[in-house]
Amino acid sequence: MQTFFRPQARALVVLLMSLLLPLTKPFTVIVSDSSNQSALVDGPQSGFTMNRDGARTDAREQEAVYDIMRATGNDWATDIPDVCRGRWHGIECMPDKDNVYHVVSLSFGALSDDTAFPTCDPAKSYISKSIMKLPHLRTLFFYRCFSHNPQPIPAFLGQLSPTLQTLVLRENGHVGFIPTELGNLTRLKVLDLHKNNLNGSIPVSLGRLAELRSLDLSRNTLTGSIFSLSFPVLNVLDLSQNLLVGSIPSTLGSCHSLIKIDFSRNRLSGSIPESIGSLKELILMDLSYNRLSKPLPTSIRNLNALQALILKGNPMGSATLSSEEFDGMTSLMILILSYTNLHGPIPESLGRLTNLRVIHLDGNRLNGSIPTNFKDLKNLGELRLNDNQLTGPVPFGREMVWKMRRKLKLHNNTGLCYDANSGFEDGLDSTFDSGIGLCNTPEPGSARTVQHLSAIDDGGTMPSKADESSAALHKALVFPRLLQTNNSYRVYFDFHFNVRKRRHARNSVMLRFFQLYHRLVRLYVVYCYWFWKKYIFRLQKIVSFLCYKDQVTGFLQIGAEKLLSGNRVSADWS
Amino acid sequence: MAFRLGLVLLVLLLSFVVDCVHSDDGATLLEIKKSFRDVDNVLYDWTDSPSSDYCVWRGVICDNVTYSVIALNLSGLNLDGEISPAIGNLKDLTSIDLKGNRLSGQIPDEIGDCSSLQDLDLSFNEINGDIPFSISKLKQLETLVLKNNQLIGPLPLTLSQIPNLKVLDLAQNRLSGEIPKLLYWNEVLQYLGLRGNNLVGTLSPDMCQLTGLWFFDVKNNSLTGKIPENIGNCTAFQVLDLSYNQLTGEIPFNIGFLQIATLSLQGNQLTGKIPSVIGLMQALAVLDLSCNMLSGPIPPILGNLTYTEKLYLHGNHLTGSIPPELGNMTKLHYLELNDNLLTGNIPPELGKLTDLFDLNVANNHLEGPIPDNLSSCTNLNSLNVHGNKLNGTIPRALRRLESMTNLNLSSNNIKGPIPIELSRIGNLDTLDISNNKISGSIPSSLGDLEHLLKLNLSRNQLTGFIPAEFGNLRSVMEIDLSDNHLSGLIPQELSQIQNMFLLRLENNNLSGDVMSLINCLSLSVLNVSYNNLAGVIPTGNNFSRFSPDSFIGNPGLCGSWLNSPCYDSHPEERATISKVAILGIALGALVILLMILVAACRPHNPAPFPDGSLDKPVSYSTPKLVILHMNMALHVYEDIMRMTENLSEKYIIGHGASSTVYKCVLKNCRPVAIKRLYSHYPQCLKEFETELETVGSIKHRNLVSLQGYSLSPCGNLLFYDYMENGSLWDLFHGEFKFIHN
């Protein structure tokens, strides 16, 4: 590409262009928009030299570009004889009917090596007021430009030419309020103020930007509530990672073109408005990490284009999901409802949404069993149901388990188990613990428990380690009902203490362990000692016993099921 | 004082925290190591001995102040196994580079916990499963390169929630579904590589919302529908590759607004005319519209594209004549207009294309003579005018094209003799003037074309003898002189050609016998039928493999099969066959059978072609030389074969258990070492090829990098840089292993 900009090459092109000029005549000249005051000739531009013979660049605009370049530390640019000649990176021009060239686009910032926009001197850059002398400007792009010289977004940008369509001030370290004056840029299609330090509320004046297609104010510190916005052609609305409060305006339902709503990580409260159901084009809705406290509106089922619904981390007011919840949301692929305080059973309707690939329902209080039609969700790649109160057998066969592998998370439920003949166990990754065990078939209805205990002993640092391990063991014994009255308990005991030290302490702890857990069915021990064998042989119900030494970790681990050190769960359960 | 105390406490606390982070990272790294199967023990220094500082472990880069791991560079270490979920514990990681290993399994969810991650490169592994949802939690991520794996599922639309994503390369996976249009709503995305997946659906007009994108590649998917009308709004695009999809409709006029360097639309079902406006896209270096259903004329304004090096318009329904203006495309290297419906003459203006390397106008309806001016294209390497209605004679001026290696004038109406000047084009390896109306005798000087691999003069009106000088064509593999009026003997000198595998002389008036061919050991296709040959067909050497069809129509030629002229003439001999003779015949048949078996089991050695061709001619195409690195780009398979005299013994520089190594020195090029593998599993060619492309992409300072390969009849060839120092055999012996110092 470099060679293309050599002056000789350019001269050659000019020459050839002038020779071939008659050839270009047959093209229809399209004026982009009759209402466009600048009336630039919007047609295919010819090659590297924008200027043909006799064409010139508007002198006032040329000076303005020099000013703007100087203000960003690009003093070298003042040596460019004609900013519209030679396709300088970051500067785009277009001719008008009189063959005078006008600047239509200016871009700054080290976006990447491939896009060599003029960089900004971070310490002293600012936006020059001369920018207002560019009456044909359509695009203004500043990226990582003023981070070390924090400054507000200049209000005069609101007086920019009404031709402006794209205003991008990304990661610039802007401080202060969003100027109300930006609402004057009525032709604006893209407004992107991502990752600045803007505060105050979103100015209501932005509601006048009726042609807006993308509004990105994410990652600022904006406060206040979201005004009653209504943008007829808005496609993308991203207000995530701010400090916005109040409720989601019901007028959102009038933004019919929305394909993405991202309000995640704010402090929004109340409910999702019923009007949301009219957003037929919506593909992604992320409202995670807010304070939404009402159940989902029933109209949400109308969102049949929605592919991702992310509501994680909202206290959805002890909501119970109705059995028809999500019915009709046939495009849904990603459903994230972790930690949303959900109660009741998992709706069966979910199993009918066969496009689902990701379901996270972890950290709720869901009870009942997993709907059997979940086995029809053949596309499922991630399923998190851990940390709930689910019971009963899991409906998946070997194939699904094998496909999801570690991404099937079922641990910490009240009584999930798998049937011996379901093939579930065959699908399991041998190094990975599914968190559940075999169903106890003879006693239907009996409570099944899975316990995770862990005691950590790192030997060297604290003196009374043996006592502490015992304490942890005692802690486990606070639940004697669970451990001793129940026939089918399973215990995970993850004992981490330094095996090279204090053999006596260790052995006394182990002795008590074996006494207490005398009904163990399976035992898995890393670093077992020969003199434990006599205890192990006393465990009358023992079916399988696995013992090996793991030289790498140096930890001692005991489990009544397959146990993995990486999957420790702490003992402080309530 | 209290402040000071607080400060001290703070420092103490900090150092404690740092210490904690420190030791945790070491344990995490060991955990990660556990899930790799470290075949070559390259991570031998990752140990848990207390004296070992993980910051100096191979591939680990730590922060200078906090000693937390900030980068993990384990690319190209032949690591097996999986990526451990423990990687999520390295919270300060900004870069993970595991490319070019053999990692399998899924991408762990926990990678989403590496919240500082900016660059993630897992390319060229065997990772399967979906792209995890948790990737979208990486808000700092700028580069996500997962190409050349076995990922499935749709492109996660939540990738649109990574605000800083600049490079997204998911090429060569098995991703399905549509391209989520949300992906297009990104102000900073620079590079979108989705080539070689199973993506369906249409291209959304929203793609032009990518205001910063310069690279857009969706080649080789199953996209349908039209190219969006507003494509011209994608003003930042530099490379637009929509090739090998199922796109329909016309090329939008609007495309002329683009100022791109590469426009690849080949292999679709595009219809309509080539928009003239393309002639204004002056930045174009490559314009490929081939293999579509485009109709109408070639717009003369394309001549305006003075920076274009490659113009591919072949395989369409283009009509009209070749515009003389194309002669203005002074940078043009490749001009391929073949397989269209073009009429008129070949414009003499093409002679102005002095950089032209390849000119292909085959299979059109072109008329008139081959213009003398073409001889000004002095860099021309290949000229193909096959299958037109060209007339006139073969221009004598062609001899100025000294670089030419491939000249194909076949299937036209060219008259006159073969000009003696053709024999001055010393680099020729393919000369095909078959199926014309060439008359006169074959100039004996054609024997000077010592690099010739393929000579086809068939289906003409040639008279006279086969020149004895053909015996000088040492490299030639195919000679086809069939369907002419040649007379005289088959010259004895043909027996000097040791590499010839095809010889067709049928339908001439040749006389004498075929004994001169008995020493052409590599010959596997022979046809001398319908001549006036006489004598006995030898049964020795490889003649046993030729069927009677190769010899019929020669009244005087004796063979040992039914209906052979001699078969009937000596019935009494058969009647008196003794038991000993029967035994002899049986033994002979057994030997022949064994020979066939041996030949069939070893198709690549020594016979260059599989023996499926016993009784029918093979269609032989030039073996493909696959170039992996640009160092090889100047080489052509034929050149290499020529320079090494088809891998002659004198170029051998080493032997291995499974291979032989040759050295090849080409003019103006770096020397190349060629490794010829003895083919053991010919049926696994595809896997071999895939494997090689992977291996070829690995670069390492201690590894002789693979430059290219070829699956040729001479065996599977690997091309390496020739290393001046040291024992090459040793280097090759450890070719895929990394050498530790």
Side-chain angles (χ1 to χ4, degrees):
Chain A
M1 284 301 289
Q2 290 294 334
T3 55
F4 293 158
F5 298 103
R6 282 197 311 230
Q8 313 93 289
R10 282 211 305 274
L12 192 72
V13 172
V14 173
L15 194 69
L16 276 169
M17 275 314 298
S18 52
L19 284 172
L20 293 161
L21 201 57
L23 289 170
T24 66
K25 283 279 164 63
F27 293 112
T28 4
V29 169
I30 302 169
V31 177
S32 70
D33 196 338
S34 53
S35 64
N36 190 339
Q37 315 154 333
S38 64
L40 299 180
V41 179
D42 209 354
Q45 302 300 311
S46 45
F48 306 104
T49 50
M50 306 293 282
N51 289 3
R52 295 171 195 156
D53 288 346
R56 61 198 186 280
T57 303
D58 188 299
R60 236 172 84 89
E61 294 187 26
Q62 168 109 355
E63 279 307 315
V65 172
Y66 288 160
D67 286 347
I68 299 156
M69 285 290 212
R70 270 193 293 262
T72 52
N74 291 296
D75 294 342
W76 56 270
T78 52
D79 294 334
I80 302 175
D82 186 342
V83 293
C84 288
R85 191 189 284 268
R87 267 171 66 105
W88 291 95
H89 283 288
I91 306 174
E92 282 177 41
C93 303
M94 271 191 175
D96 63 11
K97 284 171 188 158
D98 303 323
N99 228 357
V100 177
Y101 275 78
H102 301 283
V103 178
V104 295
S105 171
L106 283 178
S107 307
F108 293 89
L111 193 56
S112 78
D113 296 342
D114 307 316
T115 310
F117 292 151
T119 51
C120 300
D121 182 342
K124 58 172 196 178
S125 289
Y126 64 97
I127 302 179
S128 163
K129 222 169 176 174
S130 297
I131 220 150
M132 289 154 67
K133 296 178 193 156
L134 302 174
H136 302 278
L137 201 62
R138 294 178 185 175
T139 301
L140 191 58
F141 185 99
F142 284 96
Y143 179 75
R144 293 187 181 170
C145 265
F146 318 108
S147 7
H148 298 291
N149 185 22
Q151 52 193 290
I153 296 173
F156 60 75
L157 289 186
Q159 297 161 43
L160 276 175
S161 143
T163 55
L164 195 71
Q165 295 180 355
T166 304
L167 177 60
V168 180
L169 302 170
R170 260 180 109 87
E171 304 191 23
N172 278 328
H174 286 301
V175 292
F177 299 154
I178 299 174
T180 323
E181 290 81 354
L182 292 188
N184 298 336
L185 300 168
T186 49
R187 303 290 302 277
L188 212 55
K189 290 186 168 139
V190 175
L191 177 58
D192 181 352
L193 307 178
H194 170 79
K195 204 176 179 186
N196 287 291
N197 294 314
L198 299 167
N199 52 32
S201 57
I202 304 170
V204 182
S205 67
L206 292 189
R208 304 213 307 267
L209 306 176
E211 295 181 26
L212 213 53
R213 295 194 64 197
S214 170
L215 177 61
D216 186 350
L217 306 179
S218 58
R219 198 116 192 245
N220 283 291
T221 48
L222 297 170
T223 50
S225 57
I226 304 172
F227 66 89
S228 302
L229 37 81
S230 173
F231 298 104
V233 293
L234 191 68
N235 292 113
V236 172
L237 177 58
D238 190 347
L239 306 178
S240 61
Q241 302 189 74
N242 279 293
L243 304 169
L244 298 168
V245 295
S247 57
I248 298 171
S250 63
T251 53
L252 197 61
S254 63
C255 304
H256 292 292
S257 308
L258 274 175
I259 57 174
K260 170 176 170 179
I261 298 174
D262 191 348
F263 292 165
S264 61
R265 292 177 195 273
N266 278 291
R267 295 167 182 179
L268 299 170
S269 52
S271 61
I272 301 171
E274 193 73 33
S275 65
I276 206 96
S278 55
L279 302 179
K280 298 289 186 196
E281 319 236 324
L282 199 62
I283 299 173
L284 183 147
M285 178 154 76
D286 187 350
L287 305 176
S288 58
Y289 300 106
N290 276 291
R291 294 170 182 174
L292 300 171
S293 55
K294 300 276 165 54
L296 289 171
T298 48
S299 68
I300 205 160
R301 292 172 210 166
N302 300 339
L303 300 177
N304 46 24
L306 197 68
Q307 295 178 20
L309 178 61
I310 305 167
L311 299 173
K312 181 178 187 177
N314 281 293
M316 305 286 280
S318 310
T320 315
L321 295 170
S322 83
S323 61
E324 285 93 45
E325 200 81 52
F326 312 115
D327 228 6
M329 298 171 76
T330 46
S331 307
L332 204 60
M333 288 198 275
I334 299 172
L335 177 65
I336 312 291
L337 294 173
S338 320
Y339 303 99
T340 44
N341 211 10
L342 295 173
H343 287 236
I346 300 173
E348 201 162 314
S349 51
L350 213 50
R352 293 195 285 270
L353 306 178
T354 48
N355 282 320
L356 275 169
R357 303 192 78 99
V358 179
I359 301 179
H360 292 185
L361 295 173
D362 50 311
N364 285 298
R365 292 188 215 163
L366 297 167
N367 54 28
S369 57
I370 304 173
T372 48
N373 62 1
F374 265 46
K375 70 177 186 301
D376 303 330
L377 298 173
K378 299 289 183 206
N379 290 320
L380 211 53
E382 290 182 34
L383 176 62
R384 295 191 187 170
L385 298 173
N386 52 298
D387 300 285
N388 276 295
Q389 292 156 12
L390 297 166
T391 53
V394 289
F396 322 113
R398 178 165 48 107
E399 210 167 305
M400 275 184 85
V401 177
W402 184 82
K403 185 178 175 227
M404 289 192 271
R405 297 189 67 203
R406 291 168 195 266
K407 290 171 187 174
L408 173 61
K409 298 191 176 166
L410 302 171
H411 56 270
N412 266 9
N413 272 292
T414 326
L416 278 183
C417 61
Y418 58 88
D419 283 324
N421 54 1
S422 65
F424 180 91
E425 202 175 14
D426 308 338
L428 281 180
D429 181 345
S430 58
T431 63
F432 173 65
D433 165 43
S434 68
I436 61 169
L438 204 60
C439 290
N440 196 4
T441 37
E443 284 182 29
S446 81
R448 299 180 183 88
T449 50
V450 179
Q451 298 301 332
H452 302 256
L453 303 180
S454 174
I456 297 169
D457 179 335
D458 41 6
T461 52
M462 292 185 203
S464 60
K465 227 44 266 187
D467 296 345
E468 211 150 291
S469 294
S470 308
L473 199 56
H474 276 296
K475 196 173 177 185
L477 304 180
V478 176
F479 308 90
R481 284 184 310 273
L482 285 177
L483 298 175
Q484 298 191 336
T485 62
N486 196 315
N487 282 333
S488 59
Y489 64 80
R490 267 168 285 279
V491 178
Y492 278 48
F493 206 98
D494 202 351
F495 236 5
H496 287 218
F497 57 109
N498 194 323
V499 288
R500 296 188 182 90
K501 288 183 181 171
R502 294 189 323 288
R503 181 191 299 169
H504 174 72
R506 182 176 63 237
N507 288 339
S508 66
V509 169
M510 291 317 299
L511 179 59
R512 289 208 56 198
F513 177 87
F514 288 129
Q515 285 170 348
L516 284 165
Y517 295 85
H518 63 278
R519 295 191 209 186
L520 280 177
V521 180
R522 293 178 189 207
L523 186 62
Y524 164 99
V525 185
V526 181
Y527 256 101
C528 38
Y529 291 85
W530 64 269
F531 50 84
W532 292 354
K533 281 184 188 162
K534 57 184 172 188
Y535 302 119
I536 291 165
F537 290 140
R538 274 184 221 158
L539 303 172
Q540 293 181 356
K541 302 210 170 194
I542 196 94
V543 174
S544 66
F545 168 60
L546 199 67
C547 173
Y548 62 87
K549 292 190 178 183
D550 185 340
Q551 297 292 352
V552 180
T553 57
F555 289 140
L556 180 137
Q557 300 170 333
I558 291 178
E561 280 287 348
K562 279 177 287 184
L563 182 68
L564 189 78
S565 60
N567 209 37
R568 245 182 294 145
V569 180
S570 76
D572 53 284
W573 25 305
S574 50
Chain B
M1 195 59 204
F3 171 74
R4 263 196 199 169
L5 193 69
L7 201 69
V8 167
L9 274 175
L10 191 72
V11 167
L12 274 175
L13 196 69
L14 267 178
S15 60
F16 178 72
V17 166
V18 163
D19 206 33
C20 278
V21 165
H22 196 149
S23 51
D24 272 7
D25 276 6
T28 304
L29 288 171
L30 289 175
E31 190 73 31
I32 291 169
K33 180 186 174 179
K34 262 207 287 183
S35 68
F36 289 145
R37 277 217 308 276
D38 185 5
V39 186
D40 299 336
N41 197 25
V42 287
L43 302 181
Y44 62 93
D45 58 352
W46 290 37
T47 59
D48 66 343
S49 79
S51 60
S52 178
D53 174 10
Y54 63 82
C55 287
V56 299
W57 290 353
R58 182 170 195 167
V60 177
I61 297 166
C62 289
D63 188 278
N64 286 337
V65 182
T66 64
Y67 300 111
S68 58
V69 179
I70 54 167
L72 212 49
N73 182 355
L74 301 174
S75 61
L77 295 182
N78 203 19
L79 294 170
D80 222 322
E82 301 190 15
I83 303 169
S84 165
I87 203 154
N89 298 339
L90 302 174
K91 308 278 185 211
D92 294 317
L93 270 182
T94 59
S95 167
I96 299 175
D97 185 353
L98 298 175
K99 68 167 170 284
N101 285 293
R102 296 192 307 202
L103 299 171
S104 54
Q106 302 188 344
I107 303 172
D109 266 349
E110 289 76 4
I111 212 156
D113 298 335
C114 304
S115 48
S116 313
L117 206 57
Q118 288 177 7
D119 301 298
L120 176 58
D121 190 342
L122 307 178
S123 56
F124 297 98
N125 280 291
E126 290 152 31
I127 297 170
N128 52 48
D130 286 21
I131 299 170
F133 169 74
S134 62
I135 291 266
S136 57
K137 282 159 63 184
L138 301 169
K139 300 294 183 197
Q140 307 295 324
L141 199 63
E142 298 194 357
T143 313
L144 178 59
V145 183
L146 304 177
K147 66 180 168 193
N148 292 69
N149 279 292
Q150 286 149 28
L151 298 167
I152 55 164
L155 255 143
L157 70 161
T158 46
L159 290 180
S160 68
Q161 289 184 296
I162 306 176
N164 271 311
L165 199 60
K166 291 173 184 173
V167 174
L168 178 60
D169 196 345
L170 306 175
Q172 310 291 2
N173 279 290
R174 290 183 287 161
L175 300 171
S176 53
E178 300 192 12
I179 304 171
K181 64 177 174 181
L182 270 178
L183 215 57
Y184 300 137
W185 288 85
N186 187 325
E187 299 290 334
V188 296
L189 193 66
Q190 304 283 295
Y191 185 108
L192 182 60
L194 302 176
R195 159 188 299 221
N197 282 291
N198 304 324
L199 300 171
V200 295
T202 56
L203 289 167
S204 163
D206 285 3
M207 65 191 268
C208 292
Q209 294 298 330
L210 291 163
T211 47
L213 195 84
W214 69 271
F215 186 93
F216 188 96
D217 180 3
V218 292
K219 180 176 181 165
N220 240 329
N221 280 287
S222 305
L223 299 173
T224 49
K226 294 180 174 183
I227 301 173
E229 283 297 322
N230 67 340
I231 188 85
N233 297 353
C234 304
T235 46
F237 283 16
Q238 294 279 316
V239 174
L240 178 60
D241 194 336
L242 309 178
S243 59
Y244 302 104
N245 280 288
Q246 287 138 39
L247 299 173
T248 50
E250 300 192 4
I251 302 173
F253 169 83
N254 197 305
I255 208 161
F257 287 63
L258 298 177
Q259 291 297 333
I260 54 179
T262 302
L263 179 60
S264 304
L265 304 178
Q266 73 271 24
N268 282 292
Q269 291 148 29
L270 299 170
T271 50
K273 295 180 178 179
I274 300 174
S276 313
V277 74
I278 285 180
L280 292 184
M281 300 166 72
Q282 279 221 316
L284 272 182
V286 179
L287 175 59
D288 195 340
L289 306 177
S290 61
C291 302
N292 277 292
M293 301 190 290
L294 297 169
S295 53
I298 300 172
I301 195 178
L302 290 191
N304 201 355
L305 300 172
T306 45
Y307 288 102
T308 305
E309 294 182 2
K310 297 177 181 178
L311 178 60
Y312 300 113
L313 302 177
H314 56 273
N316 281 293
H317 307 318
L318 298 173
T319 50
S321 56
I322 301 173
E325 286 84 352
L326 295 189
N328 299 331
M329 302 174 73
T330 45
K331 289 256 166 62
L332 211 56
H333 285 68
Y334 292 84
L335 178 57
E336 315 241 317
L337 307 174
N338 49 302
D339 297 280
N340 277 295
L341 308 168
L342 298 170
T343 50
N345 298 337
I346 299 175
E349 285 80 356
L350 295 186
K352 289 191 280 180
L353 301 173
T354 49
D355 285 349
L356 201 62
F357 185 79
D358 188 351
L359 175 61
N360 191 343
V361 295
N363 296 319
N364 280 292
H365 306 313
L366 298 171
E367 297 162 339
I370 300 167
D372 274 354
N373 303 46
L374 281 190
S375 59
S376 316
C377 306
T378 45
N379 282 306
L380 204 60
N381 212 281
S382 170
L383 173 62
N384 188 350
V385 299
H386 164 89
N388 281 290
K389 298 176 195 161
L390 297 172
N391 50 34
T393 56
I394 301 173
R396 293 171 191 277
L398 287 185
R399 67 165 191 188
R400 285 164 58 193
L401 300 175
E402 286 171 0
S403 321
M404 186 124 77
T405 60
N406 178 14
L407 179 60
N408 188 342
L409 310 177
S410 59
S411 302
N412 280 291
N413 297 323
I414 299 170
K415 288 191 286 285
I418 301 172
I420 205 162
E421 285 80 358
L422 278 192
S423 45
R424 301 280 181 79
I425 312 177
N427 277 318
L428 266 189
D429 56 38
T430 302
L431 176 60
D432 188 347
I433 53 178
S434 62
N435 199 13
N436 277 293
K437 293 171 180 161
I438 309 283
S439 52
S441 59
I442 303 173
S444 57
S445 60
L446 281 190
D448 297 345
L449 296 171
E450 53 177 346
H451 298 310
L452 210 57
L453 298 171
K454 184 178 169 183
L455 175 65
N456 192 345
L457 308 177
S458 65
R459 284 176 284 166
N460 279 298
Q461 293 151 19
L462 294 168
T463 50
F465 306 118
I466 300 174
E469 287 79 357
F470 274 15
N472 299 334
L473 300 172
R474 294 297 171 92
S475 319
V476 85
M477 298 173 83
E478 293 178 49
I479 295 180
D480 189 347
L481 307 176
S482 60
D483 298 282
N484 278 294
H485 309 308
L486 298 170
S487 53
L489 307 174
I490 299 174
Q492 196 67 41
E493 288 78 1
L494 287 191
S495 63
Q496 296 165 14
I497 310 176
Q498 282 305 311
N499 295 307
M500 182 160 63
F501 83 95
L502 179 142
L503 178 64
R504 295 182 61 169
L505 302 172
E506 74 266 25
N507 291 313
N508 280 293
N509 299 318
L510 298 172
S511 51
D513 58 27
V514 292
M515 292 311 285
S516 54
L517 301 175
I518 185 84
N519 288 323
C520 295
L521 294 177
S522 50
L523 207 56
S524 60
V525 180
L526 174 70
N527 196 340
V528 293
S529 58
Y530 301 100
N531 278 290
N532 285 320
L533 296 168
V536 177
I537 299 168
T539 49
N541 290 350
N542 52 346
F543 263 68
S544 54
R545 66 173 66 165
F546 305 122
S547 77
D549 287 348
S550 300
F551 304 103
I552 54 169
N554 287 293
L557 205 54
C558 286
S560 53
W561 55 82
L562 206 72
N563 299 332
S564 159
C566 322
Y567 182 80
D568 284 334
S569 61
H570 308 287
E572 67 285 353
E573 278 179 27
R574 234 179 109 245
T576 58
I577 275 175
S578 66
K579 285 181 179 174
V580 177
I582 289 174
L583 194 69
I585 289 169
L587 271 175
L590 198 68
V591 166
I592 290 166
L593 199 70
L594 274 174
M595 280 174 72
I596 292 173
L597 270 175
V598 165
C601 294
R602 303 176 56 197
H604 292 282
N605 192 23
F609 282 89
D611 288 338
S613 55
L614 269 183
D615 47 10
K616 59 175 188 279
V618 282
S619 60
Y620 165 57
S621 61
T622 310
K624 186 170 65 155
L625 170 63
V626 181
I627 291 164
L628 297 165
H629 291 144
M630 283 316 286
N631 302 353
M632 275 290 289
L634 292 166
H635 298 70
V636 177
Y637 177 79
E638 286 81 8
D639 286 344
I640 292 169
M641 284 300 123
R642 198 170 62 221
M643 295 311 292
T644 57
E645 300 177 23
N646 287 314
L647 302 178
S648 153
E649 281 186 12
K650 51 180 155 167
Y651 296 95
I652 292 181
I653 49 174
H655 282 290
S658 62
S659 58
T660 309
V661 184
Y662 303 82
K663 178 182 175 182
C664 170
V665 186
L666 292 166
K667 53 185 173 189
N668 308 331
C669 294
R670 286 159 65 184
V672 185
I674 305 167
K675 181 175 184 182
R676 183 166 84 172
L677 300 176
Y678 309 138
S679 178
H680 296 300
Y681 308 106
Q683 71 275 25
C684 303
L685 284 186
K686 189 68 206 164
E687 285 99 288
F688 177 75
E689 206 168 342
T690 320
E691 175 79 26
L692 279 176
E693 283 189 23
T694 314
V695 171
S697 63
I698 298 171
K699 280 211 156 192
H700 190 276
R701 71 194 155 85
N702 289 336
L703 182 68
V704 190
S705 62
L706 186 64
Q707 301 292 329
Y709 66 90
S710 177
L711 308 176
S712 81
C714 308
N716 297 333
L717 306 180
L718 304 172
F719 300 93
Y720 294 87
D721 277 337
Y722 176 75
M723 303 305 262
E724 291 291 341
N725 303 316
S727 153
L728 252 174
W729 192 87
D730 285 343
L731 278 173
F732 281 119
H733 197 63
E735 68 193 80
F736 296 147
K737 291 181 191 142
F738 296 97
I739 303 152
H740 304 295
N741 312 341

